[in-house]
Amino acid sequence: MFQINDNYQKLPGSYLFSTIGKKVNAYQQANPDKNIIRLGIGDVTQPIAPAIIEAMHKAVDEMGHAETFHGYAPDLGYEFLRKAIVENDYKARGCEVEADEVFVSDGAKSDSANIQEIFAQNNRIAVCDPVYPVYVDSNVMAGRTGTYDKNTETWSDVIYMPCTAENNFVPEFPKETPDMIYLCLPNNPTGTTLTKDQLQEWVDYANRVGAVIIYDAAYEAYISEDNVAHSIYECKGARNCAIELRSFSKNAGFTGVRLGFTVVPKDLKCGDVSLNAMWARRHGTKFNGAPYIVQRAGEAVYSEAGKAQLKEQVAYYMKNAKTIKDGLKDAGYTVFGGVNAPYIWLKTPDQMTSWEFFDYLLEKANVVGTPGSGFGPSGEGYFRLTAFGNYENTVQALERIKAL
């Protein structure tokens, strides 16, 4: 008889945002007259920028003519997009990245879950706590995390790096030596980040202990401070130890369009084995490429018009972030984030648990956020709000919360 992958059975409950969706839908069905404002999932609300829409329309027209029709995309992605990525995201910032080190995909979530496939099962992973759940869950599925302790909500073989108010939500080098280190900067969910000097210390540490850094830079477009790196490849030695994940979802509103990429430097090796070659083999075998129309849309992100329009969108969301942060502070909440990232991380009031505060906000204010405990044990007692709603709803949500 066939057997299943028992590692899936180890996963506690459902995916965090699926659980939230079910709770909100149940409440909405029971209270159809309530106007719920959703500031939970990090989904954008502003429409795709005009320059990108124009490029998509042009690409759609091309698909209707034999001489300009496109079928399967190249394994790594179309050269026009990879070149635009290299010139604008890397060489413009002094980073040494080549086009054949860029792998275009359908989004950073997929890559952040799939990248672990090229590593041995006995590798130890280190994650910030709290952390984006996909990093841990995908390693659970691979059988890399050991056993789950319901009391501590931790995995026996995962190295946790607590990020709390006491250490300014900045991870510290773990006492145990990891093989794989997941860093998301600017951070989801805390909204905080590292300085360039702090990030350089992590690169130096990884090279010293022989670890690889999986660096999720999905929110780099929201960085406003000069001393914060937009790419880990701004750090000396990063090409020898780091893989970088990028997304078009947050900077260009592609959550429904789906496009991202991963950079695997050719300098990154395990002995004589190239991780670039390994990822290329995996990519070519398991992925058929992002659609031509979508990759043309990605190219338009780097056009002068696209850059200007997306700068306005980022500013729009960061205005929301400032509105949320200032409003919560005025209401007496302890608040973090909202400067280099579109997330607000707040301390729950009156010693409420994260889920108690979730229920309280949903029932009393009809506002949806994300319980901090869903991101890991150190997230208990905290709550995340996203700035990706529209401004009017954001203001209304703050008024409701203040009225509690």
Side-chain angles (χ1 to χ4, degrees):
M1 182 178 178
F2 68 87
Q3 302 292 313
I4 62 169
N5 181 347
D6 286 334
N7 294 311
Y8 279 69
Q9 305 308 302
K10 299 177 183 178
L11 289 164
S14 60
Y15 182 56
L16 171 62
F17 296 104
S18 298
T19 302
I20 290 172
K22 291 175 183 176
K23 288 176 74 75
V24 173
N25 289 338
Y27 180 82
Q28 185 76 83
Q29 289 179 7
N31 302 274
D33 59 320
K34 300 295 185 182
N35 175 27
I36 296 175
I37 298 177
R38 300 170 188 259
L39 300 181
I41 191 168
D43 194 3
V44 296
T45 54
Q46 294 299 294
I48 300 294
I52 299 171
I53 290 295
E54 182 180 348
M56 292 178 76
H57 278 298
K58 182 179 178 181
V60 168
D61 290 339
E62 289 180 38
M63 296 296 279
H65 301 278
E67 60 273 18
T68 53
F69 173 79
H70 289 79
Y72 289 126
D75 284 354
L76 272 66
Y78 284 101
E79 188 174 2
F80 61 76
L81 177 56
R82 289 185 289 113
K83 281 188 174 181
I85 288 168
V86 166
E87 292 299 324
N88 291 275
D89 287 331
Y90 295 105
K91 290 192 175 179
R93 297 191 179 279
C95 301
E96 182 188 347
V97 171
E98 300 301 327
D100 59 358
E101 297 173 321
V102 175
F103 297 81
V104 176
S105 71
D106 60 355
K109 181 179 181 180
S110 300
D111 286 351
S112 66
N114 294 331
I115 195 68
Q116 52 77 28
E117 290 187 20
I118 64 174
F119 296 98
Q121 190 176 27
N122 62 353
N123 280 344
R124 293 288 302 279
I125 71 165
V127 297
C128 295
D129 175 28
V131 69
Y132 181 46
V134 171
Y135 308 153
V136 175
D137 286 1
S138 59
N139 279 283
V140 174
M141 294 171 178
R144 195 175 285 117
T145 56
T147 57
Y148 184 69
D149 186 328
K150 290 183 179 180
N151 294 322
T152 62
E153 297 183 332
T154 59
W155 294 90
S156 62
D157 291 345
V158 173
I159 300 170
Y160 292 90
M161 302 181 292
C163 298
T164 64
E166 287 68 31
N167 62 10
N168 296 314
F169 302 100
V170 172
E172 299 170 1
F173 299 141
K175 294 178 181 178
E176 300 177 86
T177 302
D179 301 298
M180 301 160 60
I181 304 167
Y182 286 81
L183 294 177
C184 176
L185 298 167
N187 185 258
N188 174 20
T190 66
T192 56
T193 194
L194 303 183
T195 65
K196 289 181 182 179
D197 289 342
Q198 288 173 321
L199 184 57
Q200 182 66 60
E201 290 177 2
W202 276 98
V203 170
D204 294 341
Y205 169 80
N207 279 319
R208 187 166 64 250
V209 303
V212 63
I213 296 174
I214 311 298
Y215 189 80
D216 188 343
Y219 300 95
E220 67 81 25
Y222 294 85
I223 294 171
S224 62
E225 296 179 324
D226 293 336
N227 66 338
V228 177
H230 287 253
S231 168
I232 196 168
Y233 302 120
E234 293 178 43
C235 296
K236 184 178 179 180
R239 285 182 54 85
N240 299 108
C241 69
I243 293 172
E244 183 164 290
L245 313 175
R246 289 285 190 106
S247 170
F248 287 83
S249 289
K250 313 302 182 180
N251 68 324
F254 279 27
T255 53
V257 176
R258 306 310 306 151
L259 190 66
F261 63 90
T262 289
V263 176
V264 186
K266 284 174 283 188
D267 296 351
L268 181 54
K269 296 181 179 181
C270 180
D272 294 329
V273 179
S274 165
L275 269 66
N276 177 281
M278 287 186 70
W279 187 243
R281 186 66 172 87
R282 190 266 174 206
H283 207 64
T285 300
K286 292 193 173 186
F287 185 64
N288 253 344
Y292 171 75
I293 296 165
V294 174
Q295 292 198 46
R296 281 296 186 191
E299 180 189 32
V301 166
Y302 300 104
S303 67
E304 290 306 311
K307 289 178 182 178
Q309 291 162 9
L310 294 180
K311 186 176 180 180
E312 290 182 3
Q313 283 198 359
V314 168
Y316 178 94
Y317 291 129
M318 291 311 290
K319 179 183 178 182
N320 286 351
K322 188 176 188 305
T323 298
I324 296 170
K325 188 169 187 175
D326 292 347
L328 289 175
K329 279 187 174 180
D330 291 343
Y333 287 85
T334 302
V335 190
F336 308 92
V339 176
N340 294 300
Y343 293 122
I344 305 299
W345 188 244
L346 63 130
K347 185 72 177 168
T348 57
D350 304 323
Q351 296 185 323
M352 287 186 187
T353 68
S354 297
W355 279 107
E356 285 173 347
F357 189 62
F358 173 89
D359 292 334
Y360 177 70
L361 271 192
L362 178 59
E363 294 170 8
K364 302 298 182 183
N366 302 144
V367 172
V368 177
T370 308
S373 60
F375 298 100
S378 291
E380 181 55 80
Y382 289 90
F383 202 77
R384 192 193 78 175
L385 292 175
T386 172
F388 285 126
N390 66 50
Y391 180 71
E392 293 73 21
N393 280 349
T394 299
V395 171
Q396 187 177 359
L398 261 294
E399 292 174 352
R400 293 181 186 180
I401 293 173
K402 286 181 177 181
L404 294 174

